[in-house]
């Protein structure tokens, strides 16, 4: 009857695990692998491995040691970085909600966490591969531990200091792509540098949670001796190892991709996005026209509009394919990392995703145009959204299939590589000596610290070995998490204090509104399309149309945003500033003929500043008057629209963030001279605008 058979089930499982651990660290033979659970007494290899005693852990006086992967050990470095990421995701989330093409951004943080988790799970093998490659480059000598270069701490300080102006500028310009990218790159850089510094060999031996394991010949210690020494193992002659920090169970390059993958969720720079969108719209329209001709459907192209027998179908930004293009880029990179594709195959997957996005989107436009031609323009609305969802699902499945097929070859290569690596590890363990050393994992490989003059690894016997001295209380590595956390609190508190000090007590010079319920002129209220309401997200939205005494057609848009502290309200206010006749009307087929500058319209005892434009449409002149007004400055001063970098910096210095806002746009046709149109505007607005009160408080 073997020893295992004489034990209870729970004791037997513990004995099995102890024998597996002991056997795994000693010489191997085929007989012991086959008879591991009932080892033969005649096997010298098993007798030598099984004679080792269970691990005994102790610590040095006054030095608290946490277990590896313990909660305090991980939170010490992760909590400050989590704070930076939480604030960044909160502010970018507002853009993900406003810009429909970036709605996929909400999924990106979870995908990053998944990739990081997969990196940790597969990290032991990757780090061991890196260790052996580093040893081969060193010629097997083992890398000596050196102090981390100060350049990393200087880069860390530079990014942290740059975080302050970026944060202040972004608060006043929550949809500015430049600050969005700067902010994301700063947080990504802080995370990468922190992970690299903590992942360095110095942090392994000198980390506050480095657990030193030693093996020596002889018995264990008394309880008092255990309390005065540091995490040692009793047993036969062997080695002592410094357990790595939580960052060191995976290679640094493998961790960099999950962190940098977050950048796919940052909105593209406006110039790049506009160029790609307009190019796709033109290419999509031209391709659809050619295909309609092949199917015998008569169609005519007018810029980005397709005219068929039943009406016109507009190809706007949503139909350009930019959404599919951005989503497929994210999916291609994600699947490439999940299936560990080579660089060439990842690039092919990205390019194939772009091609699929364009082809599926052309098919969608062709389908909608055919529906408009066969069933009428009104039928397009019921087909629009289902067709968009269908092409996204088709792109997803196609990319998934390509990534899976492309990863099959890489998986076969990886399996063969792992088999070779396991054989090398077995040879290394079988030929390992009994000299006591301290070993630590690092990105560059295994850093071997020979016996020196630091703390001995005695276990009550003959084994010996030392590690480098422990960190001092003022070591940069120990101060790093506290410095990052403190700086985050200072920046966030300072930003809120700056803007609230400007918003406190700000008062509107006048409180006015547009009243369409008047006897003359007879204004017809128009139900504003949901697309326009969704773009402006105003608290009050009005659209009216009427004719004056000269039978000239008028059209008016009025939006009102109340002062608010929510980020959603701030984004809506800033989004309205991006709209204007000079941008929106040319997309509808009008041509800008002249810009006449800023005029002043006296209305209801106040002055109304407006910009005057002249457009042409199908040979007719259309006069457009437009203005945006913030509550504190009133109607006589146009709002800062943040159209360039200088204006955005001025807005941040002025503390403009939560002010209420009004938007007024009036268009009239039939007047040839701008002066006549201006006089008619003064007459018509005098009947529609009503001043409610003066000096109304708009801040807190």
């Amino acid at each position: 009857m073997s020893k295992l058979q004489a034990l209870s089930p729970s004791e037997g499982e513990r004995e099995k695990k102890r024998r597996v651990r002991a056997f795994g660290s000693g010489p191997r033979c085929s007989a012991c692998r086959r008879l591991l659970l009932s080892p033969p007494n005649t096997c010298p290899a098993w007798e030598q491995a099984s004679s080792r005693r269970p691990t005994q852990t102790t610590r040095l006086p006054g030095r608290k040691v946490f277990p590896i992967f313990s909660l305090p050990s991980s939170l010490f470095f992760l909590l400050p970085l989590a704070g930076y990421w939480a604030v960044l995701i909160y502010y970018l989330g507002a853009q993900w909600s406003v810009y429909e093409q970036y709605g996929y951004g909400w999924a990106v943080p979870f995908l990053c966490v998944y990739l990081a988790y997969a990196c940790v799970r597969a990290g032991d093998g990757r780090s061991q591969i890196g260790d052996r490659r580093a040893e081969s480059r060193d010629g097997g000598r083992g890398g000596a531990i050196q102090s981390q270069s100060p350049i990393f701490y200087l880069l860390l300080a530079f990014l942290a200091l740059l975080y302050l102006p970026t944060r202040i500028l972004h608060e006043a310009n929550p949809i500015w792509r430049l600050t969005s990218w700067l902010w994301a790159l700063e947080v990504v850089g802080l995370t990468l540098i922190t992970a690299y510094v903590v992942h360095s060999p110095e942090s392994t031996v000198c980390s506050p949670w480095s657990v030193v394991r030693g093996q020596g010949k002889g018995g264990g210690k008394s309880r008092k001796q255990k309390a005065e020494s540091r995490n040692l193992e009793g047993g036969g002659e062997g080695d002592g190892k410094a357990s790595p920090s939580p960052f060191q169970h995976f290679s640094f390059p493998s961790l960099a991709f999950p962190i940098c993958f977050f950048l796919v969720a940052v909105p593209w720079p406006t110039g790049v996005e506009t160029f790609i969108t307009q190019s796709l719209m033109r290419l999509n329209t031209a391709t659809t026209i050619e295909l309609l001709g092949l199917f015998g459907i008569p169609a005519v192209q007018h810029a980005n509009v397709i005219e068929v027998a039943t009406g016109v179908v507009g190809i706007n930004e949503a139909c350009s394919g930019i959404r599919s293009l951005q989503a497929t880029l994210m999916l291609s990179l994600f699947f490439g990392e999940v299936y560990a594709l080579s660089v060439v195959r990842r690039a092919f997957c990205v390019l194939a995703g772009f091609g699929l996005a364009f082809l599926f989107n052309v098919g969608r436009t062709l389908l909608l145009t055919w529906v408009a031609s066969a069933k009428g323009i009104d039928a397009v609305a019921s087909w629009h959204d289902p067709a968009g969802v269908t092409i996204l699902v088709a792109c997803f499945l196609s990319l998934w299939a390509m990534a899976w097929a492309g990863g099959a070859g890489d998986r076969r290569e990886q399996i063969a590589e792992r088999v070779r690596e396991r054989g090398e590890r077995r040879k290394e363990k079988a030929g390992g000596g009994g000299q006591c050393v301290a070993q630590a994992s690092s990105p560059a490989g295994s850093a071997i610290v020979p016996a020196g003059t630091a703390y001995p690894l005695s276990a009550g016997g003959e084994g010996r070995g030392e590690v480098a001295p422990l960190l001092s209380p003022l070591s940069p590595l120990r101060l790093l998490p506290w410095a990052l956390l403190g700086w985050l609190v200072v920046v966030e508190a300072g930003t809120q204090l700056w803007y609230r000090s400007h918003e406190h007590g700000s008062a509107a010079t006048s409180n006015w509104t547009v009243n369409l319920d008047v006897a003359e002129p007879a204004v017809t209220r128009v139900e504003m399309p949901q697309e326009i309401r969704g773009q402006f997200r105003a608290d009050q939205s009005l659209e009216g149309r009427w004719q004056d005494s000269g039978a000239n057609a008028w059209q008016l848009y009025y939006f009102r945003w109340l002062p608010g502290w929510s980020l959603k309200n701030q984004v809506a206010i800033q989004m309205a500033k991006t709209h204007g006749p000079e941008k929106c009307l040319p997309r509808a087929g009008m041509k800008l003929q002249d810009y006449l500058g800023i005029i002043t319209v006296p209305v209801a005892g106040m002055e109304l500043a407006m910009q005057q434009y002249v457009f042409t449409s199908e040979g007719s002149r259309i006069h457009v008057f437009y203005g945006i007004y913030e509550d504190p400055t009133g109607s006589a001063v146009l709002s800062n629209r943040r159209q360039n970098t200088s204006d955005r910096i001025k807005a941040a210095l002025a503390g403009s963030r939560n002010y209420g806002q009004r938007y007024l746009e009036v268009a009239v046709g039939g007047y040839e001279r701008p002066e006549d149109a201006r006089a008619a505007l003064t007459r018509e607005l005098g009947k529609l605008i009503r001043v409610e009160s003066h000096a109304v408080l708009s801040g807190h």
Side-chain angles (χ1 to χ4, degrees):
M1 183 176 184
S2 67
K3 179 179 178 181
L4 288 175
Q5 295 173 347
L7 299 175
S8 63
S10 60
E11 292 175 343
E13 290 297 326
R14 288 195 295 270
E15 180 66 17
K16 289 179 183 179
K17 293 179 180 179
R18 188 190 72 80
R19 292 186 179 186
V20 170
R21 287 196 300 269
F23 179 74
S25 60
R28 296 175 179 266
C29 69
S30 59
C32 288
R33 282 200 300 272
R34 290 194 300 269
L35 304 174
L36 179 59
L37 301 183
S38 181
N41 296 330
T42 58
C43 178
W46 172 259
E47 292 177 356
Q48 179 182 358
S50 61
S51 64
R52 298 176 181 174
R53 301 184 179 184
T55 300
Q56 299 176 353
T57 60
T58 56
R59 62 182 178 87
L60 292 174
R63 182 75 171 181
K64 186 174 182 179
V65 179
F66 297 99
I68 295 301
F69 294 117
S70 65
L71 187 62
S73 173
S74 301
L75 291 182
F76 185 73
F77 289 101
L78 297 181
L79 268 182
L81 296 175
Y84 285 88
W85 281 103
V87 178
L88 174 62
I89 292 173
Y90 172 71
Y91 276 85
L92 287 182
Q95 300 187 57
W96 298 339
S97 300
V98 171
Y99 298 111
E100 296 182 357
Q101 66 267 31
Y102 293 104
Y104 67 89
W106 288 110
V108 172
F110 298 99
L111 297 180
C112 291
V113 172
Y114 172 79
L115 292 177
Y117 172 73
C119 173
V120 172
R121 288 191 59 185
D124 291 334
R126 295 182 183 180
S127 61
Q128 291 172 3
I129 295 172
D131 293 346
R132 284 189 295 276
R133 290 175 179 174
E135 288 179 4
S136 64
R137 290 193 299 266
D138 295 339
R141 298 186 300 271
I145 295 178
Q146 299 178 357
S147 298
Q148 190 60 261
S149 173
I151 188 64
F152 294 103
Y153 293 102
L154 292 177
L155 287 174
L156 201 67
F158 172 75
L159 292 176
L161 291 175
L162 191 60
Y163 183 83
L164 175 60
T166 303
R167 183 70 184 85
I168 293 178
L169 288 173
H170 192 83
E171 188 73 13
N173 308 276
I175 59 173
W176 192 10
R177 305 295 177 85
L178 176 60
T179 53
S180 298
W181 272 97
L182 286 177
W183 193 353
L185 291 173
E186 288 160 10
V187 174
V188 168
L190 288 173
T191 306
L192 290 175
I193 296 175
T194 301
Y196 185 83
V197 170
V198 176
H199 192 275
S200 65
E202 180 187 21
S203 64
T204 303
V205 179
C206 301
S207 170
W209 296 282
S210 294
V211 180
V212 181
R213 302 184 183 276
Q215 296 176 359
K217 185 177 181 180
K221 284 180 175 286
S222 65
R223 292 184 178 179
K224 181 177 180 180
Q225 290 173 323
K226 292 176 182 179
E228 295 176 354
S229 60
R230 193 182 182 203
N231 296 321
L232 307 176
E233 291 189 31
E237 295 181 359
D239 57 357
K241 296 182 179 181
S243 298
S245 69
F247 287 95
Q248 292 173 322
H249 284 268
F250 43 83
S251 62
F252 177 77
S254 63
L255 175 65
F257 184 88
I259 297 174
C260 296
F261 179 72
F262 180 83
L263 296 177
V264 301
V266 183
W268 293 3
T270 304
V272 175
E273 181 177 311
T274 302
F275 173 77
I276 295 178
T277 301
Q278 295 297 327
S279 301
L280 288 175
M281 290 170 61
R282 291 191 295 268
L283 186 59
N284 189 3
T285 305
T287 305
T288 303
I289 289 292
E290 295 296 331
L291 294 176
L292 288 173
L294 293 178
F295 288 101
I297 301 176
V300 179
Q301 179 179 357
H302 301 283
N304 297 327
V305 175
I306 299 176
E307 182 181 0
V308 293
T310 57
V312 294
V313 179
I315 310 298
N316 54 19
E317 288 82 353
C319 299
S320 65
I322 188 66
R323 297 183 188 177
S324 303
L325 190 72
Q326 293 165 329
T328 53
L329 174 62
M330 180 268 292
L331 292 173
S332 301
L333 296 176
F334 175 74
F335 286 136
E337 179 68 11
V338 168
Y339 291 101
L341 301 182
S342 63
V343 176
V344 175
R345 288 175 177 171
R346 295 190 191 200
F348 173 78
C349 195
V350 171
L351 295 177
F354 290 166
L356 288 173
F358 177 75
L359 291 177
F360 284 130
N361 202 72
V362 169
R364 175 197 184 192
T365 306
L366 181 64
L367 172 64
L368 296 179
T369 308
W370 175 82
V371 170
S373 177
K375 301 181 180 181
I377 298 298
D378 295 336
V380 174
S382 60
W383 288 77
H384 187 274
D385 291 340
V389 174
T390 301
I391 65 172
L392 286 178
V393 174
C395 286
F396 173 81
L397 295 178
S398 301
L399 287 174
W400 192 358
M402 284 193 300
W404 180 85
D410 288 343
R411 286 194 296 272
R412 289 191 292 269
E413 297 175 2
Q414 292 171 3
I415 292 174
E417 179 69 17
R418 290 175 183 174
V419 171
R420 290 192 296 268
E421 290 163 1
R422 289 174 183 173
E424 294 175 2
R425 286 200 296 270
R426 290 172 182 173
K427 294 179 181 179
E428 292 173 359
K429 290 182 178 180
Q435 183 180 3
C436 184
V437 295
Q439 183 178 359
S441 272
S442 72
S446 298
I448 307 300
V449 182
T453 58
Y455 301 104
L457 301 180
S458 61
E462 298 178 1
R464 59 187 180 85
E466 293 87 13
V467 297
L470 301 176
L471 280 175
S472 66
L474 298 180
S475 170
L477 187 60
R478 294 192 57 145
L479 297 178
L480 178 59
W482 303 109
L484 290 175
L485 183 60
W487 182 244
L488 176 64
V489 173
V490 169
V491 171
E492 292 301 320
T495 301
Q496 297 302 322
L497 180 63
W498 172 260
Y499 284 95
R500 287 181 181 268
S501 64
H502 287 79
E503 294 161 354
H504 179 73
S506 60
T509 57
S510 61
N511 189 17
W512 57 275
T513 186
V514 173
N515 181 23
L516 299 182
D517 299 324
V518 294
E520 202 276 328
V523 180
T524 302
R525 286 179 178 266
V526 179
E527 182 65 25
M528 192 174 298
Q530 182 60 36
E531 180 182 358
I532 298 179
R533 297 173 65 92
Q535 290 178 357
F536 284 84
R537 302 173 184 267
D539 297 302
Q540 181 184 4
S541 304
L542 295 175
E543 180 182 357
R545 298 179 183 179
W546 72 95
Q547 288 186 346
D548 59 16
S549 57
N552 298 306
W554 292 77
Q555 185 175 10
L556 177 145
Y557 286 98
Y558 173 76
F559 300 94
R560 169 67 168 143
W561 294 267
L562 299 175
W565 299 102
S566 67
L567 179 61
K568 181 180 179 181
N569 185 268
Q570 297 176 37
V571 171
I573 291 175
Q574 301 305 321
M575 281 287 296
K577 291 182 169 66
T578 64
H579 295 279
E582 75 282 3
K583 295 181 179 179
C584 300
L585 295 184
R587 299 177 183 177
M590 297 185 183
K591 182 179 180 182
L592 177 60
Q593 181 179 358
D594 196 7
Y595 170 62
L596 302 179
I598 300 175
I599 64 173
T600 301
V601 182
V603 177
M606 68 177 188
E607 293 184 345
L608 193 66
M610 304 191 77
Q611 294 175 301
Q612 184 175 1
Y613 300 86
V614 179
F615 288 87
T616 58
S617 176
E618 298 180 355
S620 301
R621 292 167 64 91
I622 299 177
H623 300 271
V624 179
F625 303 90
Y626 161 79
I628 298 181
Y629 317 93
E630 291 184 345
D631 287 357
T633 56
S635 60
V637 180
L638 292 175
S639 171
N640 181 354
R641 292 180 60 189
R642 279 91 157 161
Q643 291 185 312
N644 51 56
T645 303
S646 176
D647 291 343
R648 293 184 175 101
I649 295 176
K650 290 178 181 178
L653 296 177
S656 174
R657 179 182 60 168
N658 298 323
Y659 299 146
Q661 180 176 274
R662 291 173 174 84
Y663 178 108
L664 179 62
E665 182 176 350
V666 183
V668 58
Y671 292 96
E672 291 297 328
R673 298 175 59 216
E675 295 81 4
D676 297 338
R678 192 180 310 150
L681 174 71
T682 303
R683 183 179 62 252
E684 297 297 321
L685 288 184
K687 303 173 184 178
L688 300 177
I689 291 182
R690 182 178 70 248
V691 178
E692 297 178 346
S693 60
H694 293 271
V696 177
L697 186 68
S698 64
H700 293 79

